[in-house]
Amino acid sequence: MVAPMAGDSHSSADFGGELSNEWIGKRVWFLEQIPNSLPWGDDSLLEEVPESARGCFGLKVGEYTTIDDQRYQPGNFITVDDYGSLVNLLSRVKKVSGIFVPQYDRLIPTSLWRPHHQTIDLSVYRQGVRNRFVRSLMLTVGLLTFGFLKPEFLMMAIIGVAMFGLFPLVESSMAWFRRVDQFSIDELNKRLVRNEFFRLWVMRQPTGMLKVAVGILGLIFVGQMVFDAQNPVSGPRIPDSIMRAALVPQAVEENGEWWRIVTTGLMHGSIPHILFNGMALYSLGRVIVALVSPSLLNIVFLATVITGSLASLWLGQAPASVGASGGILGCLGFLMVVTQKFKNELPGYLRANLIQSCIVISIFGLLGSQFIDNAAHAGGFIGGLVLGQIFYPFLQLVPGETRPLIRGLSVVSLAILAGGIVKIAWEFWG
């Protein structure tokens, strides 16, 4: 998993005290900071202001709101006559998706509304970091306490901790050591613009293939639930669907059912499991698809599902193992290599997020060792690192076309995954 990128809407509180006066004249301050040599260095990524709103000050509403007895819904544009009226409007709208000014025909992200005019005060910065750390620590302790007091909710509690407690906890811990006071004003503004344009670019990349993939995993899990409802087991026994098609070491070693090292990566053990893995696969997969190639995602996922399954088979202790976690950790390991190769082109926060994910998953694995297959996680992650090194000489940032060899391996990977789906169905109803 990877920490989510910021959304499009921002609270009016994000604008702080005095609003920027950059928009009184004709200058658009961030245009000169756009990294034009990079794929995301294009202001066409910004939404165009509709004709009816051009030449005006105003904003795009991010949530349902009422201003002067008039009701607005998300996506509506509100225009005002002058800069002072815009300042007043920004203080009254809680969620803002973008701002527009007369001299520019595109919607300005709220993150770019205020450029840096001075360096960052380290003591003030660290106070904010300290506050985030304390809040996330309290949430983490609270959820874990609840989980251990109510063992039936432990898995849900640990997932909640990973998503809402550990990520900000690790992020704030890493942020504490960041010497932001050493960045010049120009460097701060360059980072601000580059990060926002990269985020916008990734968010606009096609994700149809990923949605289909996650949807298929969801349908397979629905099939599991239907099969288990038709074939209930008594007591604490492992569900029959998992025994039939997931990674059961005894079935592999004694019956030679090696196909299970693939099918297990397409199945899941519970609703939280499929939701958590689905979000993680979508989050990591969209970055791989955007930066290198959809074909490589197919190859990496299949190969590291296999390396994760083999690690579980040889090093794990559980009587059965299930889930796409090996392939997801493989994507994480592969992205670690990609971000290292293109560290001069990619924004630093991307690699920082990946490192945070590695730390969070390690802690997550320790906390939930009784129901998490850490061997599969490690096998998938190491497999992703190794695969990244194998493909390292061929990696290109946003290539115009995919090499024939990689396309061929991708087709083979998809065929094997499709075969795994068919095999699961056959084991259930064949």
Side-chain angles (χ1 to χ4, degrees), residues 135-137 139-140 143 159-170:
R135 286 195 301 269
S136 55
L137 180 62
L139 178 62
T140 298
L143 285 172
I159 289 176
V161 165
M163 295 184 67
F164 306 111
L166 287 180
F167 263 116
L169 191 66
V170 172

Side-chain angles (χ1 to χ4, degrees), residues 112-125:
L112 300 182
W113 177 247
R114 301 179 65 200
H116 291 276
H117 291 291
Q118 59 186 19
T119 56
I120 297 175
D121 185 309
L122 187 61
S123 61
V124 174
Y125 168 79

Side-chain angles (χ1 to χ4, degrees), residues 376-395:
H377 283 194
F381 183 74
I382 294 171
L385 291 175
V386 172
L387 209 58
Q389 293 298 328
I390 292 172
F391 282 105
Y392 195 90
F394 311 105
L395 291 176

Side-chain angles (χ1 to χ4, degrees), residues 146-211:
F146 174 76
F148 285 112
L149 289 175
K150 300 286 187 179
E152 64 271 26
F153 297 109
L154 180 59
M155 183 175 180
M156 288 290 294
I158 291 178
I159 289 176
V161 165
M163 295 184 67
F164 306 111
L166 287 180
F167 263 116
L169 191 66
V170 172
E171 183 276 330
S172 56
S173 300
M174 294 174 62
W176 178 268
F177 299 99
R178 194 172 299 133
R179 292 302 306 269
V180 294
D181 58 318
Q182 296 180 353
F183 295 135
S184 67
I185 295 172
D186 185 57
E187 179 62 22
L188 288 171
N189 285 325
K190 284 182 178 179
R191 286 170 174 261
L192 182 65
V193 175
R194 185 168 72 165
N195 290 356
E196 179 61 21
F197 273 80
F198 178 78
R199 184 190 72 83
L200 290 171
W201 177 78
V202 171
M203 297 295 286
R204 281 161 174 71
Q205 299 307 301
T207 56
M209 183 190 78
L210 270 171
K211 291 175 181 176

